[in-house]
Amino acid sequence: MRKLLPLLLVLLAVIIKAQQYPLVVYNFSPVAVTKLKIKATDPTTWTQDCHPIVSGETAGPMLPGTTVTYDLLNTSATKTPPINQWDAMSHYIGIPDAIYNVNAGATMPSALTSIINWQSIIIEFANGETIDLGRGCVQPGTPTFNSGPTPSGRTASTNTLATPAQQVVTIF
């Protein structure tokens, strides 16, 4: 029993970490978002470079007045708009760099799916305008940066909420 308890505690910690900080995106703007480019990192492993890095982009538009929640990387292809594949730069943590096509059934290793720090979100609109929401990589919780508003008046912001634990992106 003594040997089993530490194993159960580690397993519980992995499960809890894998479920934290879903990314919730609200499009309150009157226009469609043609693409979301999303990057997740783990700044606690390689703090200078934010490795590992997992990046993906939506395979379709996000319509005005809609919301999407990306709660797990392996299930992102089931969302609207879907993220069908993730490009992982993970050789620094001993996992070969790879592209994981989760739409085709590829499963990402738990060392990558437990990444909970949404580091960069680039929002592209049909008129070619973009907003870049990003965060510094040295410290988790570094203030967010917003490149908006766009010339046509689109704005976006991102906030991390403690209860319920999630990162929220709001587009106006």
Side-chain angles (χ1 to χ4, degrees):
M1 185 65 165
R2 255 186 247 168
K3 292 179 181 182
L4 189 57
L5 185 58
L7 178 63
L8 288 174
L9 290 174
V10 168
L11 182 60
L12 181 61
V14 168
I15 291 170
I16 290 170
K17 186 176 181 186
Q19 302 297 320
Q20 285 182 335
Y21 297 107
L23 177 66
V24 182
V25 182
Y26 296 96
N27 185 6
F28 292 124
S29 77
V31 296
V33 171
T34 55
K35 189 175 293 186
L36 290 169
K37 294 179 179 180
I38 300 170
K39 189 178 293 183
T41 65
D42 184 358
T44 63
T45 307
W46 286 77
T47 58
Q48 298 301 319
D49 299 328
C50 287
H51 285 276
I53 300 171
V54 179
S55 56
E57 59 185 54
T58 54
M62 182 176 185
L63 300 177
T66 60
T67 302
V68 61
T69 301
Y70 298 106
D71 49 355
L72 299 172
L73 298 178
N74 281 324
T75 63
S76 62
T78 64
K79 308 299 179 173
T80 303
I83 298 175
N84 292 325
Q85 66 184 27
W86 294 94
D87 185 357
M89 186 184 312
S90 51
H91 61 276
Y92 285 103
I93 63 166
I95 299 172
D97 296 347
I99 295 175
Y100 296 90
N101 186 338
V102 294
N103 189 45
T107 302
M108 298 174 67
S110 63
L112 298 177
T113 59
S114 65
I115 294 172
I116 58 171
N117 191 9
W118 302 99
Q119 200 68 22
S120 171
I121 301 151
I122 297 174
I123 304 161
E124 294 182 1
F125 298 96
N127 65 1
E129 295 176 337
T130 63
I131 294 177
D132 186 353
L133 302 173
R135 239 188 326 206
C137 155
V138 177
Q139 299 261 344
T142 301
T144 58
F145 302 98
N146 179 351
S147 66
T150 65
S152 68
R154 301 283 68 81
T155 62
S157 65
T158 181
N159 294 291
T160 302
L161 303 179
T163 307
Q166 60 187 316
Q167 184 160 347
V168 177
V169 173
T170 309
I171 304 166
F172 294 102

